Amino acid sequence: MKLRFKHIVLSASLICTVLWGSVVMAQNVAVLGAPGSDAWNDDVVAKISAAGTFDSVTGMIVSSSTPTLLELSAYNAVIVYSDNNFGDADGLGDVLADYVDAGGGVVVATFAFWDSGINIGGRLASGGYLPFTQAAQASPGGLTLVPVIADHPLLDGVTSFNGGTSSYHNAVIDVAAGATLVANWSNGQPLIGTLSLTAGTVVGLNFYPPSSDARGDFWDSATDGDQIMVNALNYSAGNFVEAAPVPSLSAIGLLLLLGLMLMVGTMRLRKSV
């Protein structure tokens, strides 16, 4: 009887998964930073860790070294940003593209969207992986988030975001072909976007990840920059349920039919015992 009950539960779970979808939460993420100060990377790690979403959040300084694909394979998703030169911009871009091709999630943030100097390079930049184009920088100050798709998972739990007295971002940039724009800055520049590829997903965050807790003119830590980064890592790792349609009558009928078949099979097994 216990065995038959287990089969029924597993079958019902499979049916519900097919009809309504499921979630597998990411466990481990990494912050790949080339910041002006190593302590700023610690701030990003602390902000993401404080959400309690992930089992581990690992900081890596990539201005002096470049992780291998094997090293990145320990993580479900990574966020990469710059302020100094990457140790090997092309090499890092190549390995991140390989990581996306293997199903990893990548979040790219300011100033990796520079068009020269401190930009990300390699296949990630040249192979159509970025949700935004690359350009120089701007710091007009006082910018805020303006939703474009208010109910997008990348904005879950986000009530406000203020870029701080500098509001650093790359500009003038555009949304890349095939990418989805989720939010703009209040000056009209893209702020959050995403590009789904064959195996993985890349999210673009056009703001500098360290907060005002690291330096006073960075994004205001009283607003939701931390939640935006957590959402971006989760989304790029595939940890949000795809919007599932309400099951049609035919789907409900199939579910009832399968349930009936399970009941009949159970009754026959009882008679044969």
Side-chain angles (χ1 to χ4, degrees):
M1 179 64 182
K2 290 182 179 179
L3 182 61
R4 290 194 293 271
F5 180 74
K6 180 180 180 182
H7 288 166
I8 292 171
V9 171
L10 289 175
S11 299
S13 297
L14 177 61
I15 294 167
C16 290
T17 296
V18 171
L19 294 179
W20 286 284
S22 62
V23 176
V24 178
M25 294 304 294
Q27 301 298 315
N28 305 298
V29 298
V31 179
L32 313 183
S37 165
D38 290 0
W40 297 353
N41 207 54
D42 295 338
D43 176 72
V44 181
V45 170
K47 290 294 183 292
I48 295 171
S49 297
T53 303
F54 307 110
D55 283 348
S56 71
V57 182
T58 302
M60 297 184 188
I61 299 298
V62 289
S63 53
S64 55
S65 64
T66 301
T68 65
L69 180 59
L70 181 61
E71 290 172 323
L72 292 184
S73 67
Y75 306 102
N76 302 83
V78 301
I79 180 171
V80 59
Y81 70 97
S82 63
D83 191 13
N84 285 328
N85 291 330
F86 293 112
D88 182 355
D90 289 336
L92 181 60
D94 287 341
V95 75
L96 286 173
D98 291 341
Y99 177 68
V100 173
D101 291 342
V106 171
V107 180
V108 183
T110 302
F111 294 97
F113 290 110
W114 261 87
D115 53 2
S116 63
I118 58 177
N119 60 296
I120 192 69
R123 287 201 305 120
L124 196 76
S126 64
Y129 289 80
L130 296 180
F132 300 142
T133 60
Q134 293 174 283
Q137 76 164 66
S139 52
L143 298 183
T144 57
L145 179 150
V146 178
V148 174
I149 306 176
D151 60 351
H152 196 282
L154 285 167
L155 296 180
D156 278 6
V158 177
T159 58
S160 69
F161 178 65
N162 188 306
T165 57
S166 287
S167 297
Y168 289 110
H169 62 287
N170 287 107
V172 174
I173 64 171
D174 293 310
V175 180
T180 299
L181 178 64
V182 176
N184 279 323
W185 282 111
S186 51
N187 67 352
Q189 275 293 284
L191 173 55
I192 304 173
T194 182
L195 180 62
S196 296
L197 300 158
T198 302
T201 297
V202 179
V203 174
L205 300 181
N206 190 23
F207 71 91
Y208 190 56
S211 75
S212 60
D213 291 339
R215 200 177 84 178
D217 61 327
F218 294 161
W219 66 267
D220 185 349
S221 63
T223 62
D224 296 323
D226 49 356
Q227 187 64 47
I228 292 172
M229 291 187 285
V230 168
N231 287 348
L233 287 163
N234 264 325
Y235 189 82
S236 67
N239 292 331
F240 281 99
V241 179
E242 293 295 329
V246 175
S248 64
L249 289 177
S250 60
I252 295 172
L254 175 61
L255 180 59
L256 292 173
L257 176 61
L258 289 173
L260 179 61
M261 291 170 63
L262 287 169
M263 291 175 61
V264 171
T266 301
M267 292 172 64
R268 288 179 177 175
L269 283 171
R270 284 177 176 172
K271 289 180 180 180
S272 64
V273 173

